[in-house]
Amino acid sequence: MKTTKKAKYKTESKPKPDAPRPTSLMAPFWRSHDDVAPALATVQRVSFRNLVLDAARHGLPLLSLYFLNRSVPSYLLLAAFNLALGLMFIFVTTRDPTDMTTVDPRSRWPILRLADLLFTTLVLVVFAIPITAPLVALAFYFELFGNVDWQTVIFRKQFLMLAGGAALIAGGRALLAFDANVVVGTVGGSRHDAPVIGDIVEDRSRSKGAYAAQLTLIATFVALCYVMLTFGNAGYYALPIIYCLLLVFYDTRPDLARRIFPKLWR
């Protein structure tokens, strides 16, 4: 009676990859989370420099409201202009497959960097101004600005300085976003010498989510206008601060923000 011999060699089973560990919404924002499940939004590393710039830009309307002009129309106009800058920031920082990947080293000269900053800021302002108009028109709908002398509000020195400061910060953030996706090449080299950094398709998908986030903020701005009109001084001091913190949260942790409204931003 024959017995079946056991095979000398066993097929080694490949080890199963470790499942991604769940992450917490309270995870520190300075830590890189590469182990997050793909079903969740990608957690992005937050730059402290960008956090400071975003907080400064969103805090400028509060500076007008509480310390300088102490005017609700001036605050809401600055807040609307800030939202328009946010929309333009998303537009100019959304990459295209034809965008450059390599820059000339001479573009890093301080004088050219300053020229880039001023040009980028000018582009943002030119297109943000017409976007601001319909946002402020929503406040007109609530009859908040019925007796406001707009010429005095807009051409006030303090207002122009705050609006210019917000635009310069937005322009600087746009340049930082551009620098993060290009490599300094050689003089006279091709604009596409370096490989593409990251995934352009994924970046464009994130931009769609960012547009949806900005529209959510605009809707919140409309609600803010209504509440400040309806309740007057009762909601005057707390709500603008809460709204400012919300703006900073959307900019510094967009990955967490996308988890809050996943269906809306899909």
Side-chain angles (χ1 to χ4, degrees):
M1 185 173 181
K2 296 182 179 180
T3 58
T4 304
K5 294 183 179 180
K6 295 183 179 179
K8 294 182 178 180
Y9 305 100
K10 294 183 179 179
T11 303
E12 295 182 359
S13 58
K14 295 182 180 180
K16 295 182 180 179
D18 295 334
R21 292 171 292 176
T23 186
S24 170
L25 294 181
M26 301 302 294
F29 63 80
W30 58 84
R31 186 185 305 167
S32 176
H33 300 269
D34 296 329
D35 54 349
V36 180
L40 299 177
T42 304
V43 179
Q44 301 168 352
R45 183 187 296 273
V46 176
S47 168
F48 179 76
R49 175 180 55 184
N50 293 344
L51 173 62
V52 172
L53 290 175
D54 291 334
R57 179 165 69 91
H58 297 311
L60 287 177
L62 294 181
L63 186 63
S64 170
L65 179 63
Y66 296 124
F67 301 103
L68 298 179
N69 300 328
R70 295 179 179 272
S71 167
V72 174
S74 178
Y75 160 74
L76 291 178
L77 184 59
L78 279 173
F81 180 66
N82 194 28
L83 290 172
L85 287 174
L87 282 173
M88 286 308 305
F89 172 82
I90 299 170
F91 177 77
V92 301
T93 56
T94 300
R95 293 193 293 167
D96 189 81
T98 60
D99 288 349
M100 68 175 67
T101 60
T102 311
V103 294
D104 193 297
R106 292 170 294 187
S107 65
R108 293 300 184 260
W109 292 355
I111 185 64
L112 293 181
R113 296 292 287 172
L114 178 60
D116 288 340
L117 173 61
L118 295 178
F119 176 76
T120 304
T121 301
L122 179 61
V123 171
L124 293 177
V125 170
V126 167
F127 290 97
I129 289 176
I131 297 175
T132 304
L135 299 183
V136 178
L138 296 173
F140 270 113
Y141 178 77
F142 294 127
E143 299 180 356
L144 179 61
F145 297 151
N147 299 316
V148 175
D149 184 358
W150 282 106
Q151 186 174 359
T152 301
V153 172
I154 295 175
F155 293 102
R156 187 176 297 171
K157 181 180 179 181
Q158 295 172 337
F159 177 87
L160 292 176
M161 290 178 61
L162 293 175
L168 283 172
I169 293 174
R173 286 282 281 109
L175 284 183
L176 291 176
F178 173 77
D179 291 343
N181 294 311
V182 296
V183 176
V184 178
T186 58
V187 176
S190 172
R191 298 171 56 190
H192 300 279
D193 283 343
V196 175
I197 298 177
D199 187 347
I200 292 181
V201 175
E202 183 181 351
D203 290 348
R204 295 181 70 86
S205 177
R206 279 199 296 264
S207 292
K208 292 181 180 179
Y211 278 121
Q214 201 69 12
L215 293 177
T216 305
L217 293 172
I218 291 174
T220 309
F221 173 74
V222 176
L224 178 66
C225 293
Y226 177 78
V227 171
M228 292 186 72
L229 171 65
T230 304
F231 298 100
N233 291 335
Y236 173 73
Y237 290 97
L239 291 179
I241 296 177
I242 297 174
Y243 186 64
C244 176
L245 294 176
L246 181 64
L247 291 172
V248 175
F249 167 72
Y250 270 75
D251 282 349
T252 56
R253 289 306 300 265
D255 54 305
L256 296 185
R258 283 192 293 269
R259 298 183 200 179
I260 298 177
F261 304 108
K263 293 183 179 180
L264 176 64
W265 297 355
R266 184 171 299 170

